Amino acid sequence: IAHRLGLIPIRYTPDGSVKGGDCNQAFLSHRECVCYDRCPRCSVEFELDVNFDKVNQTRPDQERGLALTVTSKDLVCSNLLVSPAHFLNEEEQDRSHDEGISIVKLGPGQHLKLKAIARMGISKEHAKWCPVAVATYRFWPIITINEEACNMLTLEQKQELVDACPDRILELDEITGNLVAVENAYEMATFTEDLKMTQNAMKKRPEDDDFVTVEHSTDKFVFSVETTGAMDAEEIVMSALKVLKDRLNYLAAEVEKLKD
C-alpha cells in the first residue's frame, strides 16, 4: 500500500488557476526547510479512511458482492490547493472504470485508515518527484516538392511515390493531380529512405534532381513532453526554462566576480 501511495502524482493548482503549476514558490524543498521534521511550508498531509461495510450500504445492490476499490479520490489533503492527479487527461478519465488511481481493494469487514505526508523535492534526488513521464525531440522536416521534375512523371509514377513513403506524407491533389504534402506531414515525417530509393529508380540519370526532398531543419525541432499529471506540459517546459535561466544568470555573476 505504501508503494502504491508513493507512485501517485501530486498536483499543485495555484489559486485562481485550473492548471497544474510549479509549486516552487508555494513550498520549500524538505532539505531546505529549517523545521525539525515537517511543517506546512515544506509538506502537506493526506488522510484516508475507507470502511468497506459502511460504504457498501450505499452501493447499488448489484455491486454489494464485489470488492471495493480504494482510489486516489479517497485521499483528503490538508491543503486545498494540493490534490492527487487522478487522471492524466479527460480522455483517460472517460476510459477509466475507477474514480481515480487504484490503491487497494477491500472486502467485507476490512477497513483502511492512514495518514500520509507528501514533501516537496526534485527528481535529481528521486524519480518520484519527476513530473515528466516521457520527453523526446525530433528534427522539424523541410519538405520540398520539385514541381518541374514532377511534371515529367505520369500519374502512376506519382502515386508510386505516394505509396512508397511509409509515413504517408504525400498525396495527389484531386483537381490538379500534382504531388502535395498532407496537412499533418510535418508531424509524421521520420526521414525514412524508402522515398529516396523509389525516386532513384525513377530517375533517367543518377545526377538528376530529386522529385521530393525531406531534410532536417537546422534551427527548428519538435519537442514532445508527456507528464505524469502532476503538472501541465506547458508549465513544465516554462518552469524548466526559468530554472535554466536562473542558473545561467548565476554562472554569469560568478564569472564577473572572477574578473574583478
Side-chain angles (χ1 to χ4, degrees):
I1 293 175
H3 180 64
R4 294 289 299 176
L5 289 170
L7 292 175
I8 296 176
I10 306 301
R11 188 178 182 91
Y12 168 74
T13 306
D15 195 17
S17 174
V18 295
K19 293 184 177 181
D22 189 350
C23 62
N24 188 52
Q25 301 299 322
F27 295 92
L28 284 173
S29 170
H30 68 97
R31 293 193 178 276
E32 297 176 1
C33 192
V34 296
C35 65
Y36 175 71
D37 184 23
R38 66 175 187 271
C39 69
R41 182 65 176 146
C42 65
S43 65
V44 295
E45 184 176 278
F46 287 90
E47 291 189 2
L48 187 148
D49 187 0
V50 181
N51 188 313
F52 177 88
D53 295 332
K54 288 184 178 179
V55 176
N56 208 38
Q57 295 176 6
T58 62
R59 300 170 77 190
D61 293 337
Q62 64 272 20
E63 295 182 7
R64 292 189 177 183
L66 303 175
L68 175 65
T69 302
V70 181
T71 71
S72 55
K73 281 281 190 180
D74 298 306
L75 287 167
V76 180
C77 185
S78 58
N79 189 318
L80 296 178
L81 301 180
V82 179
S83 65
H86 308 296
F87 299 100
L88 188 60
N89 49 47
E90 292 183 1
E91 181 181 352
E92 184 181 75
Q93 182 175 352
D94 294 337
R95 294 199 311 262
S96 177
H97 297 290
D98 298 320
E99 294 184 355
I101 300 172
S102 301
I103 299 173
V104 69
K105 291 182 180 292
L106 299 181
Q110 293 183 323
H111 181 190
L112 178 62
K113 183 176 182 179
L114 59 85
K115 286 186 178 181
I117 305 299
R119 290 173 171 160
M120 178 182 162
I122 59 174
S123 55
K124 183 178 180 180
E125 183 178 347
H126 196 286
K128 66 184 177 183
W129 281 304
C130 182
V132 179
V134 180
T136 62
Y137 82 93
R138 60 185 179 85
F139 292 106
W140 181 265
I142 300 175
I143 303 172
T144 306
I145 299 176
N146 189 334
E147 298 289 352
E148 184 178 350
C150 287
N151 288 337
M152 306 300 294
L153 299 176
T154 65
L155 280 176
E156 290 74 17
Q157 288 175 314
K158 292 178 181 179
Q159 186 62 50
E160 186 178 349
L161 287 176
V162 172
D163 298 335
C165 181
D167 297 330
R168 311 300 292 181
I169 63 172
L170 300 173
E171 65 180 359
L172 286 177
D173 188 286
E174 295 180 358
I175 299 176
T176 64
N178 294 333
L179 278 173
V180 294
V182 299
E183 185 176 351
N184 56 343
Y186 300 95
E187 300 175 5
M188 301 188 299
T190 57
F191 311 100
T192 61
E193 292 294 324
D194 304 72
L195 187 59
K196 182 77 173 177
M197 295 170 61
T198 303
Q199 292 185 91
N200 290 338
M202 289 184 180
K203 291 179 183 179
K204 293 181 179 180
R205 295 174 301 179
E207 62 270 19
D208 288 346
D209 294 334
D210 288 336
F211 304 109
V212 181
T213 58
V214 184
E215 300 173 316
H216 298 154
S217 173
T218 58
D219 59 358
K220 193 176 182 180
F221 63 91
V222 180
F223 187 46
S224 301
V225 177
E226 180 182 340
T227 80
T228 62
M231 292 174 64
D232 284 16
E234 180 183 351
E235 295 293 327
I236 290 175
V237 174
M238 297 306 296
S239 295
L241 291 175
K242 182 179 182 300
V243 171
L244 182 60
K245 179 182 176 181
D246 291 342
R247 291 184 178 181
L248 290 175
N249 288 338
Y250 172 78
L251 178 61
E254 291 299 310
V255 171
E256 287 298 322
K257 290 180 182 178
L258 292 176
K259 290 181 180 180
D260 297 338

